[in-house]
């Protein structure tokens, strides 16, 4: 089952949340940006149990109205159902 990651902007802190995957419900508060997303232990958002996630899968940077997520390698990255660059 492939996982998905969503961004939650609460009044306390921004948080990435894993949905629909082996780590469903895991939350990763944003402590710094840019941040790396992947299975590597050095990633701020570490998704280690999903075989479809590369060691350095994506990178999120701050934009005026949220975050920009881009692929960090050849593995596909989707945001809101659309493939990221």
């Amino acid at each position: 089952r492939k996982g998905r990651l969503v961004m939650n902007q609460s009044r306390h802190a921004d948080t990435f949340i894993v949905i629909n995957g082996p780590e469903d419900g895991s939350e990763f508060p944003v402590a710094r940006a840019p941040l790396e997303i992947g299975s590597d232990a050095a990633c701020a958002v570490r998704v280690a149990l999903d075989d479809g996630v590369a060691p350095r899968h994506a990178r999120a940077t701050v934009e005026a109205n949220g975050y920009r997520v881009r692929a960090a390698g050849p593995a596909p990255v989707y945001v809101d159902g659309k493939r990221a660059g």
Side-chain angles (χ1 to χ4, degrees), residues 30-66:
V30 176
R32 67 186 190 283
L35 62 117
E36 301 291 327
I37 301 165
S39 61
D40 189 273
C43 291
V45 176
R46 183 175 186 221
V47 183
L49 300 178
D50 190 329
D51 293 338
V53 176
R56 301 279 183 183
H57 198 82
R59 181 178 175 91
T61 55
V62 176
E63 294 280 313
N65 58 350

Side-chain angles (χ1 to χ4, degrees), residues 2-3 6 9 11 15 19 22 29 34 42-43 48 50-51 57 63-64 66 75 78-79:
K2 294 286 182 196
V6 296
Q9 294 177 311
R11 62 188 177 98
T15 306
I19 59 172
C43 291
D50 190 329
D51 293 338
H57 198 82
E63 294 280 313
Y78 293 89
V79 177

